[in-house]
Structure formats: structure tokens, C-alpha cells
Amino acid sequence: MADKEGKGKDSVICAHAGSLCKDSGFSGKALWQSSVYEFDSLADLASAPYVYRRYSSPNSDELAKAVALLEDAQQGLATSSGMGALVAAVLSTCKAGDRILAQSDCYGVTREFLEVDASRFGIKTDFIDIHHVETLERALNKYVILDETANGHDTAAQDSKSQIVVFLESITNPCVRVADLQSISGVCKKYGAFLIVDNTFATPVRIKPIKQGADMVIHSVTKFLGGHSDLVAGVVVGSSHHIQLASKLAGRWGLTAAPLDSWLATRGIRTLQVRMERALSTTAELARRILCSSTPVKMNWSPDCAIMSIAVTGGLDGAMRAMSCFKMIRFAASMGGTSTTVSHPVSTSHKFLPCAEREAMGITDGMLRISVGLEDVEDIWSDIACGISAAATAAKP
């Protein structure tokens, strides 16, 4: 767990990641692999910042510190994965009888956790189209009674017995839908709901959910923050109170990040801003070329995200033909690294969902999710154009 100390420009925070806890006696540029620490006396033990690695380490604290600063949060907790961050956030916030309102088209494994695992603890989840704020408000109105105050404004009636948590992604995976966080957080505050946002796709150099009213933000650090496809880690940030609760849970459950993964992730954050600038610029140019292409393709993209999804013609066969044409772009089930990769959501992240549910979300057999890397745009475009053409040719009678 790491406390926030001041704030600065994103470029400074990124470039100096791992050098921010000046009073800790540790430097994030060193790797601290110790699992236990030795003490000369009980008094030394009582005042020690680190005792046993399952609870925290200098490297995991440096990673949490860097992301908390970037997200403008009070504190952060580094976890063993992005799913570890989700588990820590949900289980430290919810108890049996509480309810989660989650976006229907969230990451497939997130949905599986909420449906399969959280439900075993008595936490119920409704999946709704949160991107339509009126849908969210109708859902909240089912579970929260509003009191009209003297000044004419509606406020949520206080009920200590139950909690409503709203969960969504700032930019959805894989459909790249951008959430109106300002409006969503306003509705959550009106009904007293706790808002958790997964900001993995946007990164805090593009979107800062806490500034727009979120209570907690989680990341799969494995993706853009780490940026080199050589680690697995996550981070959850928020208020000091909520991160302390999440940290205690993470210590009990063994969810904290390992020192090496934390060290690698902190190193990756030092180049986060420049990597994102390059990838976002390339993504915008690829989107322009696809829109101008003679072969029509349904595309989802955002100027705040280095991920784009395209739906090639010919369904699954078209997707396979397109990927077989890629010479440089490699098929990988993750994203956010330095090299451009492609994934097939129907076969990976959302494979456990019934076909009808996937298609209702816009995830079709022909959808390809492209994670734009740092290569020259001409090389990336050469593969994409070839793949689109191959799928279209195969689909012709």
C-alpha cells in the first residue's frame, strides 16, 4: 500500500516512477526479492514498514504509488493481476446481500467472476447497458429509495445494511465504447452507489475516472502500464479508507503483486506517456485509412485508446483468413505491448458466453481486436489491409 505525496504533470510522474517514496528508505530502481525481513528486537518489528512479502514490498508500493499519482488518487494497492485488482476491489467493498450493477459488455473473465465467484459470497450482479444513463438510473431506482430534502433535491436514503456498487470500463473491451463517466458518476452519487471503473484501455494519461467522480479505479498493469508483455500485475486506487480495506483483504488472500513484476511494471510506466502518444497517433491514422478503404468494414475505435476492433466479412472463416494474411501482426490473447497484436474475442475473452449474448453486445464471429504497437504505421497497415481484403474476397459467392 502506498500513500499519495503531491501531484505533478503526467510526464514527470511517468519519468520518475519508482523514485517517489523519498522517505521510505527504498528506491524503486532496485529489486527487493526478500520474502521475509529480520529484526533485532520486538520494537524494530513494531515500527517496520515491511515484515512479510504477502502483505507488501518496496517494489509493489512503488508501483502503487506511481499509478495513484497518475490517477489523482489518495492511495494505491498493487496486486498479482488485473483480476486480482478486481477481486480486491469487489470483495473489500461488498458483502453478502449487496448488489452490483455491471455493464453487460464488460471483459469476459470479469463477467465470469461476477456471475460465478461473487455470487457464491451472496453478492448479486445485474448486467445492464450502463452506457445509457437512463437505464442505470432505472436500475438504481429499483433498489434505492430516494428522500426529497428541504432544498428540493433527491438524495439516497441511508441504509447501512446493503450497498449498491456500479462497475464499468472507461473504454470497453473489445467494443471500444467510451463511457460518459461524468454523467454516470452523477447518477451514482444521487443514489449513493459506489462506482468502480476499470481504466485499463484508456490509461490515466488519457482518462482519469476519479477526477470524474469514480470511487475506485482498477487496472490490469499487464497491459499498457507495464507495456512490454513480460509481467502480470494489477493495481487498485482510491481513497485511503477503501485502499486500506482492500490491502488487508489482499494480504489475507495472497493477492499482492510480486516484487519482480512490480519492478518491471514501474520501469514500464517510465515510458508510458511516450508509448501511448505513438500508439494513439498510429491508431488514429489506421482508423482513417479503414474508413477510406474501398472494402467496407465495421470498426470501433476511440482517440483515447490504442485498441481498435474491426468486424471483417465472412464471420469466423473471414476472421481466420484475415489473420492468416498477417505477416508482422501476431495472434495473442493479451494486448498493450510494444508490438501490434490481434485477438479473436469469440475464441478468447468472451468464448464462454452464449452466441446470442455475444452478438447482442456486438461481438461477432468476424470481430478482430487489434492492439496497436510502436511499429511504423505503413507496416501495420500493410497487414490489416491485406487481411480485410482476404476476408472480403473469401466472402464473395
Side-chain angles (χ1 to χ4, degrees), residues 95-390:
K95 61 185 181 303
D98 289 347
R99 186 172 297 273
I100 299 173
L101 302 178
Q103 71 178 60
S104 55
D105 58 343
C106 61
Y107 172 51
V109 183
T110 294
R111 180 162 179 151
E112 192 172 15
F113 162 72
L114 295 174
E115 287 184 329
V116 177
D117 301 306
S119 63
R120 294 176 58 230
F121 292 91
I123 303 167
K124 299 179 180 179
T125 303
D126 295 348
F127 293 95
I128 62 173
D129 188 357
I130 290 177
H131 289 267
H132 290 95
V133 179
E134 60 275 12
T135 302
L136 172 60
E137 184 150 17
R138 282 197 300 270
L140 285 167
N141 200 42
K142 288 170 56 180
Y143 303 112
V144 181
I145 300 173
L146 292 181
D147 288 337
E148 188 172 319
T149 61
N151 60 13
H153 295 292
D154 286 336
T155 58
Q158 297 299 312
D159 181 1
S160 60
K161 294 182 179 180
S162 62
Q163 163 103 297
I164 302 293
V165 170
V166 173
F167 172 82
L168 74 154
E169 297 159 354
S170 56
I171 300 179
T172 63
N173 176 11
C175 295
V176 198
R177 297 172 72 192
V178 181
D180 181 356
L181 292 178
Q182 203 82 44
S183 298
I184 291 170
S185 66
V187 172
C188 288
K189 284 178 170 53
K190 175 181 176 181
Y191 285 86
F194 190 87
L195 178 58
I196 301 175
V197 177
D198 184 337
N199 200 31
T200 298
F201 265 35
T203 82
V205 301
R206 299 301 292 186
I207 295 176
K208 298 182 187 293
I210 285 180
K211 281 192 169 183
Q212 299 186 57
D215 296 295
M216 261 186 176
V217 175
I218 65 172
H219 283 273
S220 174
V221 177
T222 311
K223 313 304 192 298
F224 291 109
L225 297 187
H228 293 77
S229 304
D230 56 3
L231 65 99
V232 177
V235 164
V236 53
V237 301
S239 70
S240 297
H241 170 70
H242 288 114
I243 297 304
Q244 286 169 9
L245 294 176
S247 296
K248 290 178 181 178
L249 182 137
R252 293 191 299 269
W253 283 53
L255 297 175
T256 51
L260 178 57
D261 292 281
S262 300
W263 184 87
L264 289 168
T266 306
R267 173 219 58 188
I269 289 174
R270 293 183 195 128
T271 60
L272 172 64
Q273 188 173 52
V274 292
R275 285 188 287 106
M276 290 304 296
E277 288 175 354
R278 169 65 179 246
L280 290 169
S281 174
T282 302
T283 303
E285 175 58 19
L286 291 172
R288 185 192 68 80
R289 295 188 184 193
I290 291 173
L291 287 171
C292 295
S293 172
S294 58
T295 304
V297 173
K298 182 180 179 181
M299 174 182 62
N300 302 306
W301 83 287
S302 164
D304 289 323
C305 183
I307 300 288
M308 63 192 332
S309 62
I310 58 175
V312 298
T313 55
L316 179 60
D317 183 61
M320 293 173 63
R321 287 178 178 272
M323 287 190 290
S324 69
C325 285
F326 294 164
K327 295 180 180 179
M328 181 192 70
I329 299 174
R330 307 295 295 180
F331 173 58
S334 190
M335 48 87 178
T338 57
S339 59
T340 301
T341 58
V342 62
S343 179
H344 186 240
V346 167
S347 303
T348 55
S349 60
H350 291 73
K351 65 180 179 181
F352 76 94
L353 289 177
C355 180
E357 286 190 39
R358 287 198 304 261
E359 290 184 350
M361 298 176 188
I363 303 171
T364 62
D365 288 348
M367 174 180 277
L368 298 175
R369 186 192 72 188
I370 298 171
S371 174
V372 178
L374 306 182
E375 306 95 340
D376 189 278
V377 66
E378 297 298 337
D379 295 307
I380 303 173
W381 174 244
S382 176
D383 270 8
I384 292 176
C386 179
I388 291 174
S389 178

Side-chain angles (χ1 to χ4, degrees), residues 1-2 59-69 75-78 235 237:
M1 184 172 62
N59 295 114
S60 64
D61 275 3
E62 288 287 8
L63 171 58
K65 164 63 66 174
V67 181
L69 284 170
Q75 290 186 340
L77 165 69
V235 164
V237 301

Side-chain angles (χ1 to χ4, degrees), residues 15-36:
H16 292 268
S19 306
L20 300 169
C21 295
K22 295 184 176 63
D23 61 350
S24 69
F26 299 97
S27 169
K29 294 180 181 178
L31 174 60
W32 299 83
Q33 285 281 63
S34 300
S35 59
V36 296

